[in-house]
Amino acid sequence: MIISDNIYGEFEIDDVLAELISSKPVQRLKGIHQGGASYLVNSQWNVTRYEHSVGVMLLIKQLGGSLEEQIAGLLHDVSHTAFSHVVDIVLENKAEDYHEDIFVDVIRASEIPNILNNYNYDYEHLLFNIAKWNLLEQPAPELCADRVDYTLRDMYVYGQVSLEEIEKFLNDIIIYQGKISLQSIESAEWFVRTYYQEVLDFFMDPLNIYAYDKLAQTLKLALDKKIITLADFLKEDNELIELMNSSKDRHVQSLLKQLHPNIKVRVGQGEFDIHQKNKTRIIDPLIYFNNRLIRASALSEDIRKMNAAAEEKFQQGVFVKIL
C-alpha cells in the first residue's frame, strides 16, 4: 500500500500495516475528532484520531523505528472514545487517560489480534507494554512520536506553522541512546513555542473550554437519563450526537443546540461562567550537545521562561465568560 500524509509525504507500507489500517477499529478513528468537542464550535478544528494515528506510524518509520513499533504507533489510540478526552471530564478523570484504561479490552474484543496472529505477531507483547517503545511514547517533558505528531499536525492544519518549518525541525532530529533528540537550540526553541501554541493557546482556548464543558454537561445528562451508555462512547462522534438527538429529550437537545460556531466567549477572570484546569503539560527536549544529551532549558533562557509561564497558566486554568 502507498499512503500519503500531508506532513510526512508518501510512503510504501508493509502488508500488515495496510490490513490494520483497513480494520474497523482504525477506520472508526476517522469519526473521532482529536480536538474532542472543538469541531462543534469551529469547523476548522477538524483533525481526526485516524490522521494522527497514521501520522505517528509514519513518523516512527521516518525516524528508523522497527515495523513492530510502527504497528504499536498505528494502534496506540484505537481505544479513544467519541470526542476523545471529553469523556475524561464526564467521568471526572483528572489523569485524562480513560482510553488507556480500556485499551486492553478494546484490542481483545476487536479483529486486531487475529490480523497480527496471521502475520506471526504476539499482539499482547506488541501492544500491552507501550513503555518498551522508545520512539512512540515517553513521559513529559521528553519528545516522542505521539507528542510530536499531534503538535505538528494540529498547528499545521490550524495555520500556525508551515511545512517548511516542520521539515526543518524534522531534519534536526537525531536518535541518540534510543531517545528523540535535537541538534540545535533553535529547533528546540521553535518546538517548545509551537507545543505551547498547541497545549495552551489551542487546548485552553476559551472557545474550546466552552465546547468541552457544554458537551460534557450534555453527555453526563444523557448518561443519567440512560439515553446513552458508557459503551456507546465506542461509537463515532456523530453517532453519539444522533443517539442524543433521537431521544427527543428537551433538556438534552437544548444543551446540544448551545454547541454551534456562532457562540461568543472571552477570557473573564473577574466575571466568569466556567473555570477549567487542564493536565499540566511541560516540554523540555533533549539536545545532543558536546557528545552528550542535555535539557534544552539548560541552554536556553527563552525555554526556561516559556516553561515557567506555561506552568503558571496550567496552575491558574482558564476562566471563561459566555457572551
Side-chain angles (χ1 to χ4, degrees):
M1 177 187 279
I2 303 294
I3 194 159
S4 182
D5 181 78
N6 60 0
I7 291 178
Y8 308 115
E10 196 170 88
F11 290 82
E12 183 174 357
I13 61 170
D14 292 79
D15 289 346
V16 62
L17 292 170
E19 193 166 340
L20 288 167
I21 286 171
S22 299
S23 69
K24 288 180 180 178
V26 176
Q27 288 295 306
R28 183 186 73 93
L29 298 179
K30 290 180 176 178
I32 309 297
H33 288 83
Q34 184 154 282
S38 57
Y39 81 103
L40 296 169
V41 293
N42 185 336
S43 60
Q44 294 181 336
W45 290 344
N46 59 4
V47 173
T48 67
R49 286 281 161 190
Y50 173 82
E51 293 165 312
H52 167 61
S53 297
V54 170
V56 169
M57 174 195 77
L58 294 178
L59 178 56
I60 291 170
K61 182 179 179 68
Q62 186 170 310
L63 294 175
S66 66
L67 178 56
E68 289 84 356
E69 190 161 4
Q70 292 171 48
I71 291 170
L74 175 66
L75 299 177
H76 80 286
D77 268 356
V78 294
S79 58
H80 258 292
T81 53
F83 308 111
S84 294
H85 287 292
V86 176
V87 72
D88 292 310
I89 300 177
V90 173
L91 301 178
E92 300 180 9
N93 179 356
K94 295 188 184 301
E96 299 181 19
D97 62 356
Y98 178 72
H99 68 289
E100 295 175 17
D101 292 343
I102 63 173
F103 181 78
V104 170
D105 290 338
V106 168
I107 291 291
R108 283 186 169 144
S110 75
E111 66 212 75
I112 287 169
N114 284 338
I115 293 172
L116 291 176
N117 286 338
N118 289 340
Y119 288 89
N120 298 314
Y121 288 113
D122 179 343
Y123 75 94
E124 293 186 359
H125 172 74
L126 214 58
L127 304 177
F128 292 173
N129 181 18
I130 214 83
K132 71 172 173 283
W133 302 120
N134 290 333
L135 302 181
L136 170 55
E137 293 277 9
Q138 288 292 325
E142 307 282 359
L143 295 180
C144 64
D146 179 34
R147 196 168 287 122
V148 167
D149 181 82
Y150 71 65
T151 300
L152 298 183
R153 188 167 303 280
D154 283 357
M155 291 300 95
Y156 171 66
V157 172
Y158 305 151
Q160 300 301 310
V161 298
S162 68
L163 280 179
E164 291 75 18
E165 289 173 306
I166 289 173
E167 184 176 359
K168 183 179 179 182
F169 168 75
L170 292 174
N171 286 338
D172 198 63
I173 291 177
I174 61 169
I175 308 302
Y176 183 73
Q177 295 178 345
K179 293 181 178 294
I180 298 178
S181 312
L182 300 173
Q183 301 175 80
S184 71
I185 297 172
E186 179 187 15
S187 288
E189 289 176 342
W190 179 85
F191 186 79
V192 171
R193 191 175 303 110
T194 302
Y195 182 75
Y196 288 134
Q197 286 179 302
E198 168 82 346
V199 301
L200 294 175
D201 298 345
F202 172 54
F203 286 5
M204 298 174 73
D205 183 297
L207 188 59
N208 220 346
I209 296 296
Y210 168 85
Y212 268 66
D213 182 79
K214 189 62 65 177
L215 183 58
Q217 285 182 44
T218 311
L219 292 166
K220 280 182 181 179
L221 182 63
L223 278 170
D224 289 345
K225 294 191 170 190
K226 297 184 169 39
I227 294 167
I228 60 172
T229 67
L230 202 51
D232 290 324
F233 279 76
L234 288 173
K235 300 180 186 293
E236 297 179 14
D237 295 351
N238 288 338
E239 289 178 314
L240 206 50
I241 286 180
E242 287 172 12
L243 267 179
M244 291 188 288
N245 265 326
S246 65
S247 73
K248 308 298 183 185
D249 184 278
R250 290 184 180 181
H251 193 181
V252 168
Q253 290 194 341
S254 173
L255 288 172
L256 281 174
K257 286 176 182 176
Q258 294 173 51
L259 285 159
H260 57 81
N262 296 320
I263 195 73
K264 302 295 182 187
V265 298
R266 63 170 172 80
V267 174
Q269 192 164 353
E271 182 184 353
F272 62 91
D273 299 298
I274 304 166
H275 177 227
Q276 184 171 310
K277 287 187 177 184
N278 285 12
K279 182 172 74 171
T280 298
R281 292 175 168 90
I282 299 295
I283 195 76
D284 195 356
L286 290 168
I287 295 181
Y288 182 68
F289 183 78
N290 288 342
N291 296 317
R292 64 191 180 100
L293 294 178
I294 187 168
R295 288 283 168 211
S297 60
L299 301 171
S300 169
E301 176 67 18
D302 283 349
I303 288 177
R304 288 196 292 274
K305 288 179 178 177
M306 284 188 280
N307 282 350
E311 186 76 51
E312 183 178 349
K313 180 73 177 286
F314 282 120
Q315 292 302 316
Q316 176 183 323
V318 182
F319 297 84
V320 178
K321 176 64 180 174
I322 303 167
L323 304 179

